Amino acid sequence: MDRILQVQNVTKKYGSKHALRGVSFGLSAGKIVGLLGSNGSGKTTLMKLIAGLAQPTSGGISVLGVPVGEASKSLVSFMPDRPLTESWMKVEDALRFQQDFYPDFDPGKAKRMLEFMKLSERDKVRTLSKGMGERLQLTLALSRRAKLYVMDEPIGGVDPVARTNILNALMEFYEEDSTILLSTHLVTDIERIFDEVMFIKEGELVLHSEVEELRLQRGKSIDELFREVYAEC
Amino acid sequence: MTIEFDNNQPIYLQIMNYMKGEIVTGKLKPGDKIPSVRELAAELQINPNTVQRTFQELERETIVETRRGMGRYVTGNEETILTIKKEMAQDVLDRFIRGMQELGFQSEEILAAVAENIEIRTKP
């Protein structure tokens, strides 16, 4: 199967502190992959490196064989953990903003997603609740026809009902031949949508496996494994 | 359809058992069309690849057939369905007998308990 993402022995240091240490893995096409880790384990750093928003101290990352940099940004759609929208914007402005930046932005898909999310183009971004704000961010990210979607905590700050809505939207609108890398520390609600999970701990990749294999071999849920791995944190 | 998932078990096996249950109890009839991967994934809120795997396994066991360009259908072969029914019954029996043995019951006692319970249930 097509290799979408290749991460090769990546280390990232901030000053003398290691945020990531010798991380290597590959992701193939058509997978939804959970990047799991407690706060401060290195999830966001890794995602920023993949999105090309920061440079690794050593090691290499490529998307469809293209080294991460300007050229890879047209292949990767990144949803950061903090909104990119400005407070003066209405939803329609946010969409136009995204469209200006990315030629692969699909306005038709964005419209369908807004409807699904019960968001109006006339809504002011500033007055959206946290859950609605996350839905907008998800719409912005998923409306691009990218090969790799990198989503940092898309269900981080919302209640269980809103979480279900966001997951529904994700299942409804993701492109089957693309790959989603999604970070979270809320495992229970979301583990059923993953093909694979990666556990990252203190900057190191400690586990990368298919979820059904994990369940079959260990007879445990991903949430249980997660609690075991991070018990001493 | 709704399935109470147990995250400790592979999801595709749970959907398989559920579909088999629907088929042997006749809720899904021989020749009925089953939902597409996309539909079922959306309905159950799970990964489409998991549903895909379920369908592949059901096909391998010839419970479900793909008709090119038309979708997937429950097998028209009643014998296959009967076999599945017997297999499922065997699972229930295995679990029951093991449970009773673990509680310390002997074979005759188990038989007597079953007979007695059936009698109670069939009384008006």
PDB file of all heavy atoms in Angstrom, chain A residues 30 164 168 171-172 174 176 191-195 212 215-216 219 221 224, chain B residues 5 7-13 38 41-42 45-50 53:
ATOM      1  N   GLY A  30      -5.185   5.533   3.585  1.00  0.00           N
ATOM      2  CA  GLY A  30      -6.495   5.047   3.976  1.00  0.00           C
ATOM      3  C   GLY A  30      -6.620   4.635   5.425  1.00  0.00           C
ATOM      4  O   GLY A  30      -7.449   3.812   5.764  1.00  0.00           O
ATOM      5  N   THR A 164     -19.300  13.260  20.118  1.00  0.00           N
ATOM      6  CA  THR A 164     -19.933  12.307  19.204  1.00  0.00           C
ATOM      7  C   THR A 164     -20.220  12.967  17.864  1.00  0.00           C
ATOM      8  O   THR A 164     -19.986  12.394  16.810  1.00  0.00           O
ATOM      9  CB  THR A 164     -21.247  11.787  19.822  1.00  0.00           C
ATOM     10  OG1 THR A 164     -20.939  11.247  21.100  1.00  0.00           O
ATOM     11  CG2 THR A 164     -21.876  10.712  18.959  1.00  0.00           C
ATOM     12  N   ASN A 168     -18.763  11.856  14.301  1.00  0.00           N
ATOM     13  CA  ASN A 168     -19.644  11.541  13.182  1.00  0.00           C
ATOM     14  C   ASN A 168     -19.222  12.280  11.930  1.00  0.00           C
ATOM     15  O   ASN A 168     -19.185  11.720  10.838  1.00  0.00           O
ATOM     16  CB  ASN A 168     -21.084  11.911  13.509  1.00  0.00           C
ATOM     17  CG  ASN A 168     -21.738  10.889  14.402  1.00  0.00           C
ATOM     18  OD1 ASN A 168     -21.195   9.801  14.597  1.00  0.00           O
ATOM     19  ND2 ASN A 168     -22.881  11.228  14.961  1.00  0.00           N
ATOM     20  N   MET A 171     -16.158  10.743  10.413  1.00  0.00           N
ATOM     21  CA  MET A 171     -16.427   9.515   9.670  1.00  0.00           C
ATOM     22  C   MET A 171     -17.157   9.809   8.358  1.00  0.00           C
ATOM     23  O   MET A 171     -16.971   9.133   7.361  1.00  0.00           O
ATOM     24  CB  MET A 171     -17.293   8.547  10.488  1.00  0.00           C
ATOM     25  CG  MET A 171     -16.711   8.077  11.790  1.00  0.00           C
ATOM     26  SD  MET A 171     -14.999   7.640  11.686  1.00  0.00           S
ATOM     27  CE  MET A 171     -15.094   6.229  10.641  1.00  0.00           C
ATOM     28  N   GLU A 172     -18.003  10.809   8.390  1.00  0.00           N
ATOM     29  CA  GLU A 172     -18.825  11.135   7.228  1.00  0.00           C
ATOM     30  C   GLU A 172     -17.988  11.790   6.121  1.00  0.00           C
ATOM     31  O   GLU A 172     -18.199  11.533   4.948  1.00  0.00           O
ATOM     32  CB  GLU A 172     -19.931  12.092   7.692  1.00  0.00           C
ATOM     33  CG  GLU A 172     -20.950  12.468   6.634  1.00  0.00           C
ATOM     34  CD  GLU A 172     -22.021  11.403   6.451  1.00  0.00           C
ATOM     35  OE1 GLU A 172     -22.229  10.616   7.388  1.00  0.00           O
ATOM     36  OE2 GLU A 172     -22.617  11.368   5.364  1.00  0.00           O
ATOM     37  N   TYR A 174     -14.396  12.126   5.846  1.00  0.00           N
ATOM     38  CA  TYR A 174     -12.994  11.897   5.524  1.00  0.00           C
ATOM     39  C   TYR A 174     -12.880  11.154   4.202  1.00  0.00           C
ATOM     40  O   TYR A 174     -13.768  10.407   3.801  1.00  0.00           O
ATOM     41  CB  TYR A 174     -12.274  11.214   6.692  1.00  0.00           C
ATOM     42  CG  TYR A 174     -11.977   9.750   6.544  1.00  0.00           C
ATOM     43  CD1 TYR A 174     -10.706   9.334   6.151  1.00  0.00           C
ATOM     44  CD2 TYR A 174     -12.925   8.782   6.815  1.00  0.00           C
ATOM     45  CE1 TYR A 174     -10.418   7.982   6.023  1.00  0.00           C
ATOM     46  CE2 TYR A 174     -12.646   7.444   6.697  1.00  0.00           C
ATOM     47  CZ  TYR A 174     -11.393   7.052   6.300  1.00  0.00           C
ATOM     48  OH  TYR A 174     -11.105   5.725   6.170  1.00  0.00           O
ATOM     49  N   GLU A 176     -11.524   8.402   1.764  1.00  0.00           N
ATOM     50  CA  GLU A 176     -11.069   7.053   2.090  1.00  0.00           C
ATOM     51  C   GLU A 176      -9.636   6.730   1.678  1.00  0.00           C
ATOM     52  O   GLU A 176      -9.018   5.837   2.227  1.00  0.00           O
ATOM     53  CB  GLU A 176     -12.031   6.023   1.501  1.00  0.00           C
ATOM     54  CG  GLU A 176     -13.088   5.630   2.516  1.00  0.00           C
ATOM     55  CD  GLU A 176     -14.272   4.935   1.895  1.00  0.00           C
ATOM     56  OE1 GLU A 176     -14.064   3.907   1.255  1.00  0.00           O
ATOM     57  OE2 GLU A 176     -15.403   5.441   2.059  1.00  0.00           O
ATOM     58  N   GLU A 191     -11.692   5.366  20.393  1.00  0.00           N
ATOM     59  CA  GLU A 191     -10.824   4.267  19.950  1.00  0.00           C
ATOM     60  C   GLU A 191     -11.434   3.413  18.840  1.00  0.00           C
ATOM     61  O   GLU A 191     -10.725   2.764  18.107  1.00  0.00           O
ATOM     62  CB  GLU A 191     -10.361   3.404  21.116  1.00  0.00           C
ATOM     63  CG  GLU A 191     -11.435   2.638  21.845  1.00  0.00           C
ATOM     64  CD  GLU A 191     -10.797   1.673  22.844  1.00  0.00           C
ATOM     65  OE1 GLU A 191     -10.383   2.086  23.949  1.00  0.00           O
ATOM     66  OE2 GLU A 191     -10.719   0.505  22.498  1.00  0.00           O
ATOM     67  N   ARG A 192     -12.760   3.459  18.693  1.00  0.00           N
ATOM     68  CA  ARG A 192     -13.383   2.637  17.657  1.00  0.00           C
ATOM     69  C   ARG A 192     -13.173   3.153  16.247  1.00  0.00           C
ATOM     70  O   ARG A 192     -13.459   2.468  15.292  1.00  0.00           O
ATOM     71  CB  ARG A 192     -14.879   2.564  17.900  1.00  0.00           C
ATOM     72  CG  ARG A 192     -15.237   1.464  18.813  1.00  0.00           C
ATOM     73  CD  ARG A 192     -16.711   1.516  19.101  1.00  0.00           C
ATOM     74  NE  ARG A 192     -16.895   1.306  20.503  1.00  0.00           N
ATOM     75  CZ  ARG A 192     -17.844   1.873  21.207  1.00  0.00           C
ATOM     76  NH1 ARG A 192     -18.680   2.713  20.640  1.00  0.00           N
ATOM     77  NH2 ARG A 192     -17.947   1.616  22.487  1.00  0.00           N
ATOM     78  N   ILE A 193     -12.747   4.370  16.124  1.00  0.00           N
ATOM     79  CA  ILE A 193     -12.568   4.877  14.762  1.00  0.00           C
ATOM     80  C   ILE A 193     -11.126   4.684  14.272  1.00  0.00           C
ATOM     81  O   ILE A 193     -10.834   4.921  13.113  1.00  0.00           O
ATOM     82  CB  ILE A 193     -12.989   6.361  14.618  1.00  0.00           C
ATOM     83  CG1 ILE A 193     -11.935   7.310  15.194  1.00  0.00           C
ATOM     84  CG2 ILE A 193     -14.317   6.633  15.278  1.00  0.00           C
ATOM     85  CD1 ILE A 193     -12.119   8.717  14.663  1.00  0.00           C
ATOM     86  N   PHE A 194     -10.247   4.214  15.156  1.00  0.00           N
ATOM     87  CA  PHE A 194      -8.848   4.077  14.739  1.00  0.00           C
ATOM     88  C   PHE A 194      -8.566   2.765  14.014  1.00  0.00           C
ATOM     89  O   PHE A 194      -9.093   1.717  14.369  1.00  0.00           O
ATOM     90  CB  PHE A 194      -7.918   4.131  15.949  1.00  0.00           C
ATOM     91  CG  PHE A 194      -7.891   5.458  16.645  1.00  0.00           C
ATOM     92  CD1 PHE A 194      -7.865   5.523  18.028  1.00  0.00           C
ATOM     93  CD2 PHE A 194      -7.871   6.641  15.920  1.00  0.00           C
ATOM     94  CE1 PHE A 194      -7.834   6.745  18.684  1.00  0.00           C
ATOM     95  CE2 PHE A 194      -7.840   7.872  16.562  1.00  0.00           C
ATOM     96  CZ  PHE A 194      -7.823   7.916  17.953  1.00  0.00           C
ATOM     97  N   ASP A 195      -7.681   2.835  13.004  1.00  0.00           N
ATOM     98  CA  ASP A 195      -7.069   1.628  12.435  1.00  0.00           C
ATOM     99  C   ASP A 195      -5.838   1.248  13.240  1.00  0.00           C
ATOM    100  O   ASP A 195      -5.572   0.085  13.488  1.00  0.00           O
ATOM    101  CB  ASP A 195      -6.597   1.875  10.998  1.00  0.00           C
ATOM    102  CG  ASP A 195      -7.754   1.995  10.036  1.00  0.00           C
ATOM    103  OD1 ASP A 195      -8.426   0.984   9.819  1.00  0.00           O
ATOM    104  OD2 ASP A 195      -7.971   3.099   9.522  1.00  0.00           O
ATOM    105  N   GLU A 212      -7.157  -3.579  16.221  1.00  0.00           N
ATOM    106  CA  GLU A 212      -7.847  -4.869  16.341  1.00  0.00           C
ATOM    107  C   GLU A 212      -6.864  -5.964  16.759  1.00  0.00           C
ATOM    108  O   GLU A 212      -7.222  -6.876  17.505  1.00  0.00           O
ATOM    109  CB  GLU A 212      -8.558  -5.234  15.039  1.00  0.00           C
ATOM    110  CG  GLU A 212      -9.719  -4.300  14.691  1.00  0.00           C
ATOM    111  CD  GLU A 212     -11.008  -4.614  15.447  1.00  0.00           C
ATOM    112  OE1 GLU A 212     -11.033  -4.391  16.679  1.00  0.00           O
ATOM    113  OE2 GLU A 212     -11.986  -5.050  14.818  1.00  0.00           O
ATOM    114  N   ARG A 215      -6.378  -5.671  20.476  1.00  0.00           N
ATOM    115  CA  ARG A 215      -7.514  -6.223  21.228  1.00  0.00           C
ATOM    116  C   ARG A 215      -7.464  -7.744  21.209  1.00  0.00           C
ATOM    117  O   ARG A 215      -7.705  -8.399  22.216  1.00  0.00           O
ATOM    118  CB  ARG A 215      -8.835  -5.734  20.623  1.00  0.00           C
ATOM    119  CG  ARG A 215      -9.067  -4.263  20.830  1.00  0.00           C
ATOM    120  CD  ARG A 215     -10.495  -3.865  20.490  1.00  0.00           C
ATOM    121  NE  ARG A 215     -10.624  -2.415  20.529  1.00  0.00           N
ATOM    122  CZ  ARG A 215     -10.729  -1.651  19.457  1.00  0.00           C
ATOM    123  NH1 ARG A 215     -10.774  -2.183  18.260  1.00  0.00           N
ATOM    124  NH2 ARG A 215     -10.814  -0.341  19.578  1.00  0.00           N
ATOM    125  N   LEU A 216      -7.146  -8.286  20.019  1.00  0.00           N
ATOM    126  CA  LEU A 216      -7.107  -9.735  19.851  1.00  0.00           C
ATOM    127  C   LEU A 216      -6.011 -10.347  20.720  1.00  0.00           C
ATOM    128  O   LEU A 216      -6.224 -11.332  21.424  1.00  0.00           O
ATOM    129  CB  LEU A 216      -6.843 -10.048  18.372  1.00  0.00           C
ATOM    130  CG  LEU A 216      -7.293 -11.394  17.828  1.00  0.00           C
ATOM    131  CD1 LEU A 216      -8.779 -11.600  18.044  1.00  0.00           C
ATOM    132  CD2 LEU A 216      -6.969 -11.488  16.332  1.00  0.00           C
ATOM    133  N   GLY A 219      -6.547  -8.809  24.629  1.00  0.00           N
ATOM    134  CA  GLY A 219      -7.881  -8.858  25.239  1.00  0.00           C
ATOM    135  C   GLY A 219      -8.206  -7.637  26.062  1.00  0.00           C
ATOM    136  O   GLY A 219      -8.913  -7.697  27.060  1.00  0.00           O
ATOM    137  N   SER A 221      -8.917  -3.168  25.975  1.00  0.00           N
ATOM    138  CA  SER A 221      -9.233  -2.000  25.169  1.00  0.00           C
ATOM    139  C   SER A 221      -7.997  -1.118  25.064  1.00  0.00           C
ATOM    140  O   SER A 221      -7.065  -1.237  25.858  1.00  0.00           O
ATOM    141  CB  SER A 221     -10.376  -1.216  25.805  1.00  0.00           C
ATOM    142  OG  SER A 221      -9.955  -0.673  27.032  1.00  0.00           O
ATOM    143  N   GLU A 224      -7.511   0.868  28.182  1.00  0.00           N
ATOM    144  CA  GLU A 224      -6.831   0.153  29.275  1.00  0.00           C
ATOM    145  C   GLU A 224      -5.320   0.132  29.075  1.00  0.00           C
ATOM    146  O   GLU A 224      -4.555   0.366  30.014  1.00  0.00           O
ATOM    147  CB  GLU A 224      -7.345  -1.286  29.327  1.00  0.00           C
ATOM    148  CG  GLU A 224      -8.188  -1.595  30.539  1.00  0.00           C
ATOM    149  CD  GLU A 224      -8.776  -2.983  30.429  1.00  0.00           C
ATOM    150  OE1 GLU A 224      -9.757  -3.157  29.681  1.00  0.00           O
ATOM    151  OE2 GLU A 224      -8.239  -3.880  31.085  1.00  0.00           O
TER     152      GLU A 224
ATOM    153  N   PHE B   5     -20.880  -2.177  22.036  1.00  0.00           N
ATOM    154  CA  PHE B   5     -19.542  -2.698  21.817  1.00  0.00           C
ATOM    155  C   PHE B   5     -18.785  -2.873  23.119  1.00  0.00           C
ATOM    156  O   PHE B   5     -18.971  -2.126  24.074  1.00  0.00           O
ATOM    157  CB  PHE B   5     -18.741  -1.762  20.909  1.00  0.00           C
ATOM    158  CG  PHE B   5     -19.140  -1.851  19.480  1.00  0.00           C
ATOM    159  CD1 PHE B   5     -19.757  -0.780  18.866  1.00  0.00           C
ATOM    160  CD2 PHE B   5     -18.909  -3.000  18.746  1.00  0.00           C
ATOM    161  CE1 PHE B   5     -20.135  -0.847  17.540  1.00  0.00           C
ATOM    162  CE2 PHE B   5     -19.280  -3.079  17.423  1.00  0.00           C
ATOM    163  CZ  PHE B   5     -19.895  -2.001  16.823  1.00  0.00           C
ATOM    164  N   ASN B   7     -15.038  -2.700  24.111  1.00  0.00           N
ATOM    165  CA  ASN B   7     -13.754  -2.273  23.535  1.00  0.00           C
ATOM    166  C   ASN B   7     -12.604  -3.243  23.811  1.00  0.00           C
ATOM    167  O   ASN B   7     -11.514  -3.083  23.278  1.00  0.00           O
ATOM    168  CB  ASN B   7     -13.372  -0.880  24.044  1.00  0.00           C
ATOM    169  CG  ASN B   7     -14.121   0.218  23.308  1.00  0.00           C
ATOM    170  OD1 ASN B   7     -14.647   0.002  22.222  1.00  0.00           O
ATOM    171  ND2 ASN B   7     -14.178   1.393  23.907  1.00  0.00           N
ATOM    172  N   ASN B   8     -12.872  -4.240  24.687  1.00  0.00           N
ATOM    173  CA  ASN B   8     -11.813  -5.216  24.976  1.00  0.00           C
ATOM    174  C   ASN B   8     -11.702  -6.291  23.909  1.00  0.00           C
ATOM    175  O   ASN B   8     -10.765  -7.062  23.900  1.00  0.00           O
ATOM    176  CB  ASN B   8     -12.065  -5.901  26.322  1.00  0.00           C
ATOM    177  CG  ASN B   8     -12.045  -4.907  27.456  1.00  0.00           C
ATOM    178  OD1 ASN B   8     -11.255  -3.973  27.434  1.00  0.00           O
ATOM    179  ND2 ASN B   8     -12.914  -5.084  28.417  1.00  0.00           N
ATOM    180  N   GLN B   9     -12.710  -6.386  23.038  1.00  0.00           N
ATOM    181  CA  GLN B   9     -12.732  -7.417  22.003  1.00  0.00           C
ATOM    182  C   GLN B   9     -12.618  -6.763  20.637  1.00  0.00           C
ATOM    183  O   GLN B   9     -13.097  -5.658  20.454  1.00  0.00           O
ATOM    184  CB  GLN B   9     -14.062  -8.188  22.062  1.00  0.00           C
ATOM    185  CG  GLN B   9     -14.329  -8.871  23.377  1.00  0.00           C
ATOM    186  CD  GLN B   9     -13.354  -9.996  23.645  1.00  0.00           C
ATOM    187  OE1 GLN B   9     -12.913 -10.664  22.719  1.00  0.00           O
ATOM    188  NE2 GLN B   9     -12.980 -10.181  24.893  1.00  0.00           N
ATOM    189  N   PRO B  10     -11.998  -7.473  19.670  1.00  0.00           N
ATOM    190  CA  PRO B  10     -11.956  -6.904  18.324  1.00  0.00           C
ATOM    191  C   PRO B  10     -13.355  -6.529  17.846  1.00  0.00           C
ATOM    192  O   PRO B  10     -14.288  -7.326  17.965  1.00  0.00           O
ATOM    193  CB  PRO B  10     -11.359  -8.034  17.481  1.00  0.00           C
ATOM    194  CG  PRO B  10     -10.530  -8.817  18.427  1.00  0.00           C
ATOM    195  CD  PRO B  10     -11.275  -8.754  19.738  1.00  0.00           C
ATOM    196  N   ILE B  11     -13.469  -5.318  17.338  1.00  0.00           N
ATOM    197  CA  ILE B  11     -14.774  -4.811  16.930  1.00  0.00           C
ATOM    198  C   ILE B  11     -15.331  -5.622  15.757  1.00  0.00           C
ATOM    199  O   ILE B  11     -16.522  -5.894  15.690  1.00  0.00           O
ATOM    200  CB  ILE B  11     -14.670  -3.317  16.526  1.00  0.00           C
ATOM    201  CG1 ILE B  11     -14.010  -2.488  17.650  1.00  0.00           C
ATOM    202  CG2 ILE B  11     -16.024  -2.741  16.170  1.00  0.00           C
ATOM    203  CD1 ILE B  11     -14.807  -2.321  18.886  1.00  0.00           C
ATOM    204  N   TYR B  12     -14.448  -6.029  14.825  1.00  0.00           N
ATOM    205  CA  TYR B  12     -14.972  -6.722  13.640  1.00  0.00           C
ATOM    206  C   TYR B  12     -15.634  -8.042  14.017  1.00  0.00           C
ATOM    207  O   TYR B  12     -16.633  -8.443  13.420  1.00  0.00           O
ATOM    208  CB  TYR B  12     -13.882  -6.925  12.576  1.00  0.00           C
ATOM    209  CG  TYR B  12     -12.941  -8.094  12.808  1.00  0.00           C
ATOM    210  CD1 TYR B  12     -13.193  -9.338  12.227  1.00  0.00           C
ATOM    211  CD2 TYR B  12     -11.819  -7.955  13.597  1.00  0.00           C
ATOM    212  CE1 TYR B  12     -12.333 -10.410  12.425  1.00  0.00           C
ATOM    213  CE2 TYR B  12     -10.959  -9.019  13.814  1.00  0.00           C
ATOM    214  CZ  TYR B  12     -11.228 -10.247  13.232  1.00  0.00           C
ATOM    215  OH  TYR B  12     -10.382 -11.307  13.442  1.00  0.00           O
ATOM    216  N   LEU B  13     -15.100  -8.718  15.057  1.00  0.00           N
ATOM    217  CA  LEU B  13     -15.725  -9.964  15.514  1.00  0.00           C
ATOM    218  C   LEU B  13     -17.105  -9.690  16.108  1.00  0.00           C
ATOM    219  O   LEU B  13     -18.044 -10.465  15.909  1.00  0.00           O
ATOM    220  CB  LEU B  13     -14.849 -10.641  16.569  1.00  0.00           C
ATOM    221  CG  LEU B  13     -13.575 -11.319  16.066  1.00  0.00           C
ATOM    222  CD1 LEU B  13     -12.772 -11.874  17.234  1.00  0.00           C
ATOM    223  CD2 LEU B  13     -13.917 -12.436  15.085  1.00  0.00           C
ATOM    224  N   ARG B  38     -19.754   2.012   4.001  1.00  0.00           N
ATOM    225  CA  ARG B  38     -19.862   3.417   4.403  1.00  0.00           C
ATOM    226  C   ARG B  38     -21.083   3.633   5.306  1.00  0.00           C
ATOM    227  O   ARG B  38     -20.999   4.278   6.351  1.00  0.00           O
ATOM    228  CB  ARG B  38     -19.974   4.246   3.124  1.00  0.00           C
ATOM    229  CG  ARG B  38     -19.684   5.697   3.264  1.00  0.00           C
ATOM    230  CD  ARG B  38     -18.234   5.995   3.007  1.00  0.00           C
ATOM    231  NE  ARG B  38     -17.884   7.197   3.756  1.00  0.00           N
ATOM    232  CZ  ARG B  38     -16.837   7.952   3.514  1.00  0.00           C
ATOM    233  NH1 ARG B  38     -15.999   7.639   2.575  1.00  0.00           N
ATOM    234  NH2 ARG B  38     -16.593   9.016   4.250  1.00  0.00           N
ATOM    235  N   ALA B  41     -20.594   1.906   8.724  1.00  0.00           N
ATOM    236  CA  ALA B  41     -19.567   2.597   9.515  1.00  0.00           C
ATOM    237  C   ALA B  41     -20.142   3.864  10.123  1.00  0.00           C
ATOM    238  O   ALA B  41     -19.929   4.166  11.296  1.00  0.00           O
ATOM    239  CB  ALA B  41     -18.354   2.915   8.653  1.00  0.00           C
ATOM    240  N   ALA B  42     -20.906   4.600   9.307  1.00  0.00           N
ATOM    241  CA  ALA B  42     -21.486   5.854   9.801  1.00  0.00           C
ATOM    242  C   ALA B  42     -22.503   5.551  10.896  1.00  0.00           C
ATOM    243  O   ALA B  42     -22.542   6.217  11.926  1.00  0.00           O
ATOM    244  CB  ALA B  42     -22.137   6.614   8.657  1.00  0.00           C
ATOM    245  N   GLN B  45     -20.735   4.341  13.957  1.00  0.00           N
ATOM    246  CA  GLN B  45     -19.650   5.252  14.351  1.00  0.00           C
ATOM    247  C   GLN B  45     -18.335   4.524  14.556  1.00  0.00           C
ATOM    248  O   GLN B  45     -17.673   4.670  15.587  1.00  0.00           O
ATOM    249  CB  GLN B  45     -19.996   5.991  15.641  1.00  0.00           C
ATOM    250  CG  GLN B  45     -21.088   7.019  15.462  1.00  0.00           C
ATOM    251  CD  GLN B  45     -21.503   7.600  16.780  1.00  0.00           C
ATOM    252  OE1 GLN B  45     -20.706   7.688  17.699  1.00  0.00           O
ATOM    253  NE2 GLN B  45     -22.738   8.005  16.876  1.00  0.00           N
ATOM    254  N   ILE B  46     -17.994   3.719  13.592  1.00  0.00           N
ATOM    255  CA  ILE B  46     -16.707   3.053  13.672  1.00  0.00           C
ATOM    256  C   ILE B  46     -15.965   3.193  12.354  1.00  0.00           C
ATOM    257  O   ILE B  46     -16.513   3.662  11.371  1.00  0.00           O
ATOM    258  CB  ILE B  46     -16.851   1.554  14.009  1.00  0.00           C
ATOM    259  CG1 ILE B  46     -17.813   0.907  13.016  1.00  0.00           C
ATOM    260  CG2 ILE B  46     -17.321   1.342  15.426  1.00  0.00           C
ATOM    261  CD1 ILE B  46     -17.745  -0.578  13.081  1.00  0.00           C
ATOM    262  N   ASN B  47     -14.736   2.758  12.383  1.00  0.00           N
ATOM    263  CA  ASN B  47     -13.865   2.878  11.233  1.00  0.00           C
ATOM    264  C   ASN B  47     -14.342   2.017  10.062  1.00  0.00           C
ATOM    265  O   ASN B  47     -14.614   0.834  10.245  1.00  0.00           O
ATOM    266  CB  ASN B  47     -12.480   2.412  11.710  1.00  0.00           C
ATOM    267  CG  ASN B  47     -11.430   2.646  10.683  1.00  0.00           C
ATOM    268  OD1 ASN B  47     -11.550   2.221   9.546  1.00  0.00           O
ATOM    269  ND2 ASN B  47     -10.392   3.334  11.090  1.00  0.00           N
ATOM    270  N   PRO B  48     -14.447   2.586   8.864  1.00  0.00           N
ATOM    271  CA  PRO B  48     -14.896   1.823   7.695  1.00  0.00           C
ATOM    272  C   PRO B  48     -14.028   0.588   7.412  1.00  0.00           C
ATOM    273  O   PRO B  48     -14.546  -0.442   6.961  1.00  0.00           O
ATOM    274  CB  PRO B  48     -14.772   2.818   6.532  1.00  0.00           C
ATOM    275  CG  PRO B  48     -14.776   4.157   7.159  1.00  0.00           C
ATOM    276  CD  PRO B  48     -14.198   3.994   8.536  1.00  0.00           C
ATOM    277  N   ASN B  49     -12.738   0.677   7.677  1.00  0.00           N
ATOM    278  CA  ASN B  49     -11.869  -0.481   7.444  1.00  0.00           C
ATOM    279  C   ASN B  49     -12.257  -1.666   8.325  1.00  0.00           C
ATOM    280  O   ASN B  49     -12.084  -2.823   7.947  1.00  0.00           O
ATOM    281  CB  ASN B  49     -10.399  -0.129   7.694  1.00  0.00           C
ATOM    282  CG  ASN B  49      -9.878   0.846   6.655  1.00  0.00           C
ATOM    283  OD1 ASN B  49     -10.277   0.795   5.497  1.00  0.00           O
ATOM    284  ND2 ASN B  49      -9.006   1.745   7.073  1.00  0.00           N
ATOM    285  N   THR B  50     -12.773  -1.350   9.517  1.00  0.00           N
ATOM    286  CA  THR B  50     -13.234  -2.404  10.418  1.00  0.00           C
ATOM    287  C   THR B  50     -14.459  -3.101   9.832  1.00  0.00           C
ATOM    288  O   THR B  50     -14.567  -4.327   9.864  1.00  0.00           O
ATOM    289  CB  THR B  50     -13.584  -1.808  11.804  1.00  0.00           C
ATOM    290  OG1 THR B  50     -12.475  -1.039  12.256  1.00  0.00           O
ATOM    291  CG2 THR B  50     -13.894  -2.884  12.808  1.00  0.00           C
ATOM    292  N   ARG B  53     -13.448  -5.279   6.992  1.00  0.00           N
ATOM    293  CA  ARG B  53     -12.905  -6.550   7.468  1.00  0.00           C
ATOM    294  C   ARG B  53     -14.012  -7.516   7.869  1.00  0.00           C
ATOM    295  O   ARG B  53     -13.965  -8.704   7.555  1.00  0.00           O
ATOM    296  CB  ARG B  53     -11.968  -6.269   8.657  1.00  0.00           C
ATOM    297  CG  ARG B  53     -11.311  -7.507   9.163  1.00  0.00           C
ATOM    298  CD  ARG B  53     -10.085  -7.174   9.952  1.00  0.00           C
ATOM    299  NE  ARG B  53      -9.467  -8.374  10.490  1.00  0.00           N
ATOM    300  CZ  ARG B  53      -8.508  -8.348  11.390  1.00  0.00           C
ATOM    301  NH1 ARG B  53      -8.063  -7.205  11.845  1.00  0.00           N
ATOM    302  NH2 ARG B  53      -7.992  -9.468  11.837  1.00  0.00           N
TER     303      ARG B  53
END
